[in-house]
Amino acid sequence: MEHIASILTPEEDKSSETAEWELSLLLEWVKQTYTHQSDELMVNKLLNFSRGFWKGLFTCYDYYYIPRTNNDLEQFFRRTKASHRRITGLRNWNSYIIRNGEMIVLVNDALRQEHVISRLRSVCFTRYKSRKTLWDQRLTSVILREKFNRNSAGYLNDLEQKWNSLMS
């Protein structure tokens, strides 16, 4: 376990390819070294556990804005929640997360960068428009869900009226 922890310890110049390659070698070594019947359970659990997290295990090495440790992640959430409370005055931020999702991370990161305006200007309009359309579709589903939750009878009545006007 100490070897795995040292391989996964974040460092400034460590890339996801390096960490993934080192961990792959270690897991292969474990499979070849621990071959006794009594070791089988430990090896299988280690391999299955690693396989379950493999896809997202190395992301933090390539993107500096993704917190690398659990403590960093907790601090990020605490700062984001505090910011939300200051802006809205609300303690619960569930609807904020549903509505904004990953944009919370991207916007917080972008606002700390020096040349954010020039970077935004470098995006071509067609790419912006396609991303904006996807974002609007995401927000539409959230808005419709909120309308339904506020007044489900009125919402269903509006749907029926729209349906009847289409069928006429």
Side-chain angles (χ1 to χ4, degrees), residues 64 78 109 127:
Y64 69 93
R78 192 176 315 123
D109 178 56
R127 183 173 169 123

Side-chain angles (χ1 to χ4, degrees), residues 20-62:
E20 188 173 354
W21 177 74
E22 288 178 6
L23 190 58
S24 296
L25 287 177
L26 180 71
L27 292 176
E28 191 58 39
W29 176 82
V30 166
K31 278 197 309 193
Q32 293 175 2
T33 304
Y34 295 96
T35 57
H36 295 310
Q37 183 72 22
S38 60
D39 299 328
E40 185 178 350
L41 181 64
M42 182 270 302
V43 171
N44 287 339
K45 282 192 176 201
L46 179 63
L47 295 175
N48 288 336
F49 190 77
S50 301
R51 192 177 315 116
F53 288 102
W54 199 266
K55 185 177 179 184
L57 191 58
F58 309 103
T59 305
C60 68
Y61 299 103
D62 292 336

Side-chain angles (χ1 to χ4, degrees), residues 7 10 20 42 59 62 106 111 124-126 139 142 156 160:
I7 288 171
E20 188 173 354
M42 182 270 302
T59 305
D62 292 336
L106 298 174
L111 293 176
C124 73
F125 184 74
T126 54
L139 286 182
V142 171
L156 293 173
E160 286 181 19

